[in-house]
Amino acid sequence: HELGSVSLVVPPAIADYPPGATFGPLPLAEFELVWLLSGSAVWLSGDEGTAESMRPGDVLLLPPGTDSEFRWDNQLPTRHGYVHFSAGTDPCGRPLWRRGQIPGPFGGMLDYLLWLAQERPGGWWERAEDVLAATVRAFVSGHLPQPGERPEPAALAAALDYVRSEWLGGMRPVSRAELAAVASGSESFLSRM
């Protein structure tokens, strides 16, 4: 599918949700690109009757008319980036997932989109549309590096995700006790890992 021109409807932004929050169900009037930065979520589609789990680094492209609902992490705050846009033609025809794309080429492009919307330098709106169009084209083409399996055990991965989410608002010391609680283990178990 060819993308055609891209027009921002809602500029790139970050949303934070408290543990256990939900959003929707709500039909989309335009395309939405969503990327999970921290926490986790389950995306539900009333249209397709599907439920997909999202982890940090996952990116989701939703076409107009998609009936979407998000159920955010029950235990941790969740942070995600999003942008709404219209396109000259439908590049995907259905919801499209890419797992573990951040970090990677998308991480830098999506960070740049957020920076443009926050700082608003001269011509930022047009530049954001150009960057978004390139991002969506690459996303839809499927020619992307594929993430490998996480090399760390699940408990350590949970602790690392917690540190990443905590440091999004600014770095601070994170105690071993906090990490052990998130990892559902003892401090000595976590230290050994």
Side-chain angles (χ1 to χ4, degrees), residues 103-161:
F106 283 114
M109 293 171 86
L110 296 171
D111 283 347
Y112 184 50
L113 280 171
L114 289 169
W115 179 85
L116 285 168
Q118 182 179 11
E119 296 299 320
R120 300 184 178 210
W124 75 272
W125 190 272
E126 294 80 14
R127 184 67 183 141
E129 288 178 336
D130 291 344
V131 171
L132 178 60
T135 302
V136 171
R137 281 186 189 100
F139 185 79
V140 171
S141 78
H143 303 294
L144 298 168
Q146 293 302 306
E149 288 294 315
R150 291 185 83 156
E152 64 270 352
L156 185 56
L160 291 170
D161 287 345

Side-chain angles (χ1 to χ4, degrees), residues 153 155-156 159 174-181 183-193:
L156 185 56
V174 178
S175 71
R176 279 188 290 179
E178 279 180 88
L179 295 176
S184 301
S186 68
E187 290 181 43
S188 60
F189 170 72
L190 189 60
S191 294
R192 283 193 304 274
M193 282 196 299

Side-chain angles (χ1 to χ4, degrees), residues 87-110:
T89 58
D90 185 346
C92 59
R94 60 180 171 69
L96 184 59
W97 288 86
R98 298 277 187 233
R99 302 262 182 218
Q101 290 301 313
I102 303 168
F106 283 114
M109 293 171 86
L110 296 171

